[in-house]
Amino acid sequence: MSEFKLPEEFIESSKALHVQRVRTATSIGLLVIQFNRLEYDLGEFLGVFLKRKNQEEHFENIAIMTAALSFGQKLDLLSALYLKRYREQPKQCEIFKRIILQMSKYEEYRNSLVHSRWGTQTFGDSEFKRFKSNIKGRKGLRKVAELADWRQIRTICTEMQSFNCIEMLEIYRGCARYEAMSEETINRLSVRMTERLSGALQAAGI
């Protein structure tokens, strides 16, 4: 009885798919970790608006909000509190709104990846893709089938990390110290947010 062997091209295709699968999976994992960091820091922002007796109570408040509120609800609450506190600073409030919008876009991107199906169209297919069905917007059923781009995912993770360390840090600093942004800071953040509009998220169609 002769031994059955898979065609060589099928074996090579399977190896290539495995590499794509691993790279995409690790990139999505990195995205989830980075987004979770962003969400935790959002809870810290909310924490500065709450009275607390000590550091332990401060972190308990953050834990409560993180567990009880969705990401969108945290953004809504922070926006209401922040815009009320700095309502006499219109330029600062405008920058803040752009930062909140950017955070919403990160959430949209994260959700689009995490809630998709990843794999091949058919058995033996050599292309590893993302599949997603959508009925939002009252436009009927919309199906997405696009090639997995793990490099793009990692680029956005890097951008999120930069956003967390610069734009969000400036917002937190102002909240914690209860002080308005300087004109220099507002101008610098405005330039950065304009640059982000043409960055990785736009390339991803977000």
Side-chain angles (χ1 to χ4, degrees):
M1 184 176 179
S2 59
E3 183 181 356
F4 173 76
K5 289 186 178 181
L6 292 170
E8 190 63 32
E9 61 270 18
F10 182 85
I11 295 175
E12 292 303 315
S13 176
S14 296
K15 289 179 180 178
L17 276 174
H18 176 71
V19 172
Q20 291 181 52
R21 186 181 298 111
V22 170
R23 286 175 173 171
T24 302
T26 54
S27 299
I28 292 174
L30 182 63
L31 176 69
V32 170
I33 291 172
Q34 188 60 51
F35 184 83
N36 287 353
R37 174 75 253 182
L38 188 72
E39 184 165 13
Y40 179 83
D41 288 346
L42 178 56
E44 283 201 344
F45 291 174
L46 289 169
V48 302
F49 287 93
L50 300 177
K51 292 182 179 180
R52 66 273 186 192
K53 297 176 182 177
N54 51 50
Q55 192 74 357
E56 181 180 356
E57 185 177 347
H58 172 65
F59 287 117
E60 285 179 353
N61 288 341
I62 294 171
I64 290 170
M65 287 183 294
T66 300
L69 302 176
S70 69
F71 188 81
Q73 289 171 329
K74 292 187 188 78
L75 287 184
D76 289 341
L77 180 56
L78 178 63
S79 295
L81 293 169
Y82 190 94
L83 295 174
K84 177 177 180 292
R85 174 181 288 188
Y86 295 105
R87 58 182 175 272
E88 304 298 329
Q89 307 290 334
K91 289 184 179 179
Q92 179 173 330
C93 288
E94 187 58 38
I95 286 293
F96 173 79
K97 289 175 184 177
R98 293 171 67 182
I99 289 174
I100 290 294
L101 177 61
Q102 185 71 20
M103 294 172 74
S104 294
K105 288 181 178 292
Y106 286 137
E107 182 193 24
E108 182 182 352
Y109 180 75
R110 179 259 186 198
N111 289 346
S112 70
L113 267 62
V114 171
H115 298 298
S116 291
R117 179 180 76 81
W118 297 85
T120 57
Q121 185 84 47
T122 58
F123 179 75
D125 195 347
S126 61
E127 293 183 326
F128 191 66
K129 295 182 177 181
R130 177 177 81 89
F131 300 94
K132 175 77 172 173
S133 297
N134 196 328
I135 58 172
K136 290 183 179 179
R138 303 177 184 87
K139 297 179 180 178
L141 179 63
R142 175 173 168 265
K143 294 183 178 181
V144 173
E146 59 185 18
L147 289 173
D149 189 346
W150 62 272
R151 290 183 179 86
Q152 182 187 69
I153 299 172
R154 295 197 180 195
T155 296
I156 292 178
C157 287
T158 301
E159 181 183 300
M160 286 175 66
Q161 186 174 24
S162 168
F163 176 84
N164 216 13
C165 294
I166 298 174
E167 283 90 340
M168 288 188 69
L169 180 61
E170 287 293 348
I171 293 293
Y172 181 78
R173 195 198 323 272
C175 289
R177 296 177 181 175
Y178 213 118
E179 62 184 21
M181 290 180 185
S182 67
E183 193 72 24
E184 179 185 357
T185 298
I186 289 173
N187 291 336
R188 180 163 53 86
L189 290 181
S190 179
V191 170
R192 291 192 63 85
M193 293 308 297
T194 299
E195 290 173 349
R196 291 199 189 282
L197 284 175
S198 58
L201 278 178
Q202 186 184 56
I206 301 297

